[in-house]
Each structure stands twice: as C-alpha cells, then as structure tokens.
Amino acid sequence: MKLDEIFPKNRMSLNEIDKTVYARDASEYEGLCKAVVWPKTAEEVHQLVHYARRANDRLTIRGAGTSSFGGCVPADSIVVDMSKMNKIIEVGKDYVIVESGMVVDDLNKELKKVKKFFPIVPLESEVCTIGGMLATNCLGLETYYGKMQDWILEIKVVDGTAKVLDLSPVPARSFIGTEGVMGIVCRVKLKVLAKPIMKTVSIFKFNTLRVMLEKVNELENDENVLEIYYLDEFCSNLLELGGEMHLIVELKDESGLIKNKDEINSLNEMKKTLQHILINKRYGQKEDVKIPMEAMSKFLFWLRKNNVPSFAYLKLGIVHPCFRDYSNLPKEMYQIVKRLEGELKGDYPMGIKRKEFIPKNVQEQLAVLKNQFDPARIFNRGVLID
Ligand SMILES: Cc1cc2nc3c(=O)[nH]c(=O)nc-3n(C[C@H](O)[C@H](O)[C@H](O)COP(=O)(O)OP(=O)(O)OC[C@H]3O[C@@H](n4cnc5c(N)ncnc54)[C@H](O)[C@@H]3O)c2cc1C
C-alpha cells in the first residue's frame, strides 16, 4: 500500500507550509520533514508502520509538539501527528481508556461530568497529549501524584516490526519514558481518581538563602508536607509577589494557612503563568536538573551568582533554571551539576539536546530495547539514541 492509499487527502500533506511547520517542536532544533500524516485509527498506524518498513522511510511521532528538547524534530521523516486520535473509548469505575492523542485537559473536562479526574496535569496541560506524556513519563504540577508510569494499566502500541502489542504495566515500561523511539502508542488505559488529595498551603518569604534552606530542612522532616515549591526573587517579582524568595508548601493536613480550594487552585494557575512570563522575558531555555539535597545550597548559590532565574520542586530535588535563549551558561551548569553529583534530567525528556548526557548503562539498555522493538530504526531517528 502507498501512503496515499492509507490516508485520505485531508489527512496527509506534502505541502511545503506543513513541512516547514512540522520541521520543529518547542525546542530550538529544526529538522527535515518529508510529509505529515494524521492517523485516526490504530489500524492506520499499523499500515503506516508496514509502509515505512517497505519504503525504508522514517517516522517521527508527534503529540502536541511541546517537547522542549527536540523529541518531535524529524530527520528526513514523515511526521505522524497523533492529535486526531483523541477519543475516549471507555470510562470504568476507576479507569479510563483513551486514544493517545487525547489532550489531558479535555480528558479531565469529560471525566468531571462523571465525578472523576486524572491527576497528572503538566504545565502545558491545555495542549499536552496522553501519548506525549506517557512517552516522556512526565510529572504533573501536583508532583505528589507521581509520574505517568504510576497511572498506566495497559497500552496498545505498534512497534517497529509492525507488531500490535497489548501490554500490561510491566512490559509497557519499555514504551514509557522512551520518547517514542520504540513504537507508536495508540491507546492507553489509565487509572483515575474520584477525589483529589485534600491539601492546605502555607507560603513563606525569605531574604537569605541560608535561612530559606534551614526552613526546607525542617519541612523535609514533616511527614505532612507534600511538596515544597521554591521561587527565587526574580520569579517572585515576575509574579508580583514581592522581591523575596518564596516557598509555597503543600500539606496533606489542615495545618496550612490557605484552606480555600479556589485560592489553592489559583496558585496552580500562577505556576502555569510563570513559565509563559519567563518565555516572554526571553528566558525561554528552561532546563531541569535533579540535585541532591546536601548540594542544593551550592547549586542555588551558583544560579544566583550567575543571575539565572529559577524555580524548583525541592521535595523532589528538581530545579528549573531558566536561561536567556542566547546564553552559553547552560553548558557550564551541566558541569556544575555533574560535580555536585546531580542528574541532568529532572523530569523532562532528553530528546536530541541532552542525549549525550545519558549514562552509559542506560544507553546500553536503550540499545537492547531498540534492537528488540525497532531494529530497522524507523521511529524518531536522532532522538534519545543514535
Ligand atoms: C513550556 C513547557 C513546559 C513544560 N513543562 C513540563 C512539565 O512540567 N513536566 C514535564 O515532564 N514536561 C514538561 N514539558 C515537556 C513536554 O511538554 C511534556 O513532557 C509533555 O508531556 C509532552 O506532551 P506532548 O503531547 O506535547 O508531546 P510531544 O512534545 O508531542 O512529544 C514528546 C515525546 O513523546 C513522543 N510521543 C508523542 N506521542 C506519542 C505516541 N502516541 N506514541 C509514542 N511516542 C509519542 C514524541 O515523539 C516525543 O519524543 C514542558 C514543555 C514546555 C515547552
């Protein structure tokens, strides 16, 4: 079968404008897009993989394209835009089955009607797809709900040998967080909740880093603390909170000063707004690193010395330093992170940008999986592994 026999005219494009648009994602990288297709069914995805094998073509999988590390940048590939596979298939008592192009906020709007919700809500939830979230194994804003991997019950995936696999959580792990290099996820069964964890919030302000870190140490020993969200002075100022450092502490008991649900929700909205303001101020190069708590003060001092705006999820040790688009500082920061025995990956993907920093043992595991699921190297060429 040829490509135009698999897809009708309105769901396949060789148009130069489409090829230009799909040559990029939210990162600074640009690749070569050969064509764009918009599958609507798992069967079309299956035929597409068969086609790619026969024609020796490459496929780059795309959800909403918010990957800021180059995960959706094609390498002379056909871009597979999953956004039209966006239906809810079934809602059960404590699960939902969705197509992988479903946008997470749309899913939650539908689940709200039956008094349920899916708790992994990343910053870009208005557009992020379940497939992209699964492939990057992302966290949500409410980090204490864990990662995507904790909520997956089953997936349907087409691998690079054109096998359609229905996988339970353990075998599905090969496709979770591996950034689309093993196969195209078509359908996902997710756990859902009826009630959110009830929480209260307290906000603290600090003028010195030392005093702020003393408070963090104290909070870390409090078993009621769900998350400790840090804003440096720069980010606090952007949010019009004043010029001090802030800790926004989420607690699972009644001890937080803010108890009103709407007020608590507005804090989440504020976190979403922050990164858009940072992008507008040209601090668009957001990194995410994981720093051991004992090295946190050294790392935060380095960021402040170099005037790098940052915010962090301190309970997890994940820091998001935000660089100017034209800055050379990120490379210097990578060295600092290594010296402090931190990790260059907090919770965002490695994509193209950070793949050289993947530890050797992980690279070897990925190579084994790639040989098993995609020996012809069809998917996401250049992403994660070479
Ligand atoms: C401003 C900004 C903020 C962000 N905030 C966060 C955050 O808070 N937490 C976080 O973890 N990440 C964050 N990210 C990174 C990224 O947006 C998320 O990981 C998101 O989950 C990706 O969803 P998406 O639909 O845009 O996926 P895409 O960007 O389209 O794809 C991401 C990766 O998944 C693969 N993929 C997509 N769909 C499928 C599928 N159906 N089958 C197989 N592979 C697939 C793609 O090939 C790509 O490698 C952020 C990015 C930006 C630009």
Side-chain angles (χ1 to χ4, degrees):
M1 243 187 200
K2 292 190 197 142
L3 207 53
D4 56 7
E5 289 170 333
I6 305 171
F7 297 99
K9 275 202 182 71
N10 63 343
R11 288 195 287 110
M12 176 190 154
S13 175
L14 297 169
N15 177 309
E16 287 310 317
I17 295 175
D18 283 332
K19 289 202 275 187
T20 306
V21 169
Y22 281 88
R24 306 199 58 156
D25 57 12
S27 70
E28 65 270 39
Y29 294 95
E30 188 168 347
L32 203 57
C33 170
K34 211 171 166 181
V36 189
V37 293
W38 290 265
K40 261 193 160 173
T41 63
E43 182 46 34
E44 284 181 353
V45 172
H46 190 209
Q47 287 172 6
L48 173 66
V49 176
H50 266 302
Y51 163 82
R53 282 170 62 79
R54 272 197 319 275
N56 206 12
D57 258 328
R58 303 163 181 187
L59 303 175
T60 291
I61 314 158
R62 184 178 176 109
T66 65
S67 171
S68 36
F69 295 90
C72 307
V73 174
D76 198 13
S77 339
I78 300 168
V79 175
V80 189
D81 181 328
M82 299 299 289
S83 62
K84 294 208 185 298
M85 288 182 62
N86 60 353
K87 287 191 285 300
I88 296 183
I89 314 279
E90 187 181 324
V91 184
K93 190 167 163 276
D94 50 9
Y95 70 87
V96 62
I97 302 176
V98 293
E99 290 181 324
S100 64
M102 179 106 216
V103 170
V104 64
D105 274 4
D106 293 346
L107 171 62
N108 270 327
K109 266 180 220 141
E110 290 305 311
L111 287 174
K112 200 172 175 187
K113 294 176 190 164
V114 289
K115 298 197 167 39
K116 295 186 197 305
F117 81 108
F118 180 65
I120 310 288
V121 179
L123 285 170
E124 298 295 303
S125 61
E126 297 92 339
V127 292
C128 281
T129 63
I130 294 295
M133 291 166 60
L134 179 150
T136 55
N137 195 15
C138 74
L139 281 166
L141 272 170
E142 294 175 312
T143 54
Y144 41 87
Y145 284 114
K147 293 187 148 200
M148 278 301 279
Q149 69 190 35
D150 303 314
W151 295 87
I152 286 162
L153 293 167
E154 241 171 72
I155 63 169
K156 182 188 276 298
V157 61
V158 182
D159 77 2
T161 67
K163 278 200 203 87
V164 181
L165 307 167
D166 286 295
L167 302 172
S168 57
V170 176
R173 281 297 283 136
S174 305
F175 298 87
I176 302 171
T178 48
E179 301 183 34
V181 301
M182 307 300 170
I184 305 185
V185 178
C186 295
R187 189 179 280 196
V188 188
K189 183 174 180 181
L190 297 162
K191 288 184 235 175
V192 292
L193 290 177
K195 269 199 220 138
I197 296 175
M198 289 315 293
K199 67 177 179 193
T200 58
V201 175
S202 283
I203 301 180
F204 302 93
K205 295 178 184 221
F206 302 90
N207 286 313
T208 70
L209 199 55
R210 188 182 52 78
V211 180
M212 190 276 286
L213 286 165
E214 277 169 15
K215 182 71 185 172
V216 173
N217 274 340
E218 177 196 318
L219 290 166
E220 276 206 313
N221 295 322
D222 181 341
E223 58 176 27
N224 284 314
V225 172
L226 292 165
E227 187 51 273
I228 309 166
Y229 182 76
Y230 161 75
L231 290 165
D232 72 359
E233 292 97 327
F234 190 90
C235 294
S236 300
N237 252 325
L238 290 183
L239 291 169
E240 298 177 1
L241 296 173
E244 300 103 334
M245 282 167 265
H246 282 75
L247 291 180
I248 301 178
V249 182
E250 296 174 310
L251 300 127
K252 64 178 173 202
D253 65 2
E254 287 291 310
S255 62
L257 291 178
I258 304 173
K259 304 187 200 303
N260 179 290
K261 222 167 118 195
D262 292 340
E263 258 182 87
I264 292 175
N265 285 344
S266 73
L267 288 171
N268 273 354
E269 288 310 310
M270 188 186 78
K271 290 177 193 168
K272 286 188 174 186
T273 314
L274 173 62
Q275 66 176 353
H276 296 141
I277 304 178
L278 281 162
I279 291 168
N280 284 338
K281 297 273 176 199
R282 302 208 52 204
Y283 286 94
Q285 207 178 327
K286 187 170 93 176
E287 293 287 333
D288 84 318
V289 294
K290 193 163 181 177
I291 305 293
M293 208 50 220
E294 51 288 3
M296 191 60 84
S297 68
K298 281 198 180 125
F299 187 63
L300 294 183
F301 270 117
W302 183 86
L303 292 175
R304 290 159 66 79
K305 194 178 85 194
N306 289 287
N307 295 319
V308 181
S310 56
F311 59 98
Y313 299 91
L314 291 177
K315 182 119 184 183
L316 296 173
I318 292 175
V319 186
H320 294 299
C322 301
F323 295 92
R324 289 270 189 191
D325 299 337
Y326 46 77
S327 162
N328 278 327
L329 269 179
K331 287 211 171 80
E332 196 180 324
M333 183 197 70
Y334 290 166
Q335 298 310 326
I336 304 282
V337 173
K338 274 189 181 168
R339 221 178 299 146
L340 296 175
E341 296 185 1
E343 293 168 36
L344 291 174
K345 178 174 164 59
D347 63 308
Y348 293 2
M350 300 301 267
I352 296 176
K353 190 171 177 181
R354 303 194 289 183
K355 69 177 172 191
E356 65 181 287
F357 300 105
I358 298 173
K360 201 155 185 315
N361 64 325
V362 179
Q363 278 179 16
E364 285 165 3
Q365 287 163 13
L366 286 169
V368 170
L369 292 177
K370 188 74 173 168
N371 286 337
Q372 180 183 349
F373 293 113
D374 185 23
R377 306 289 198 260
I378 290 173
F379 299 122
N380 286 9
R381 192 75 70 93
V383 176
L384 208 59
I385 45 176
D386 287 316

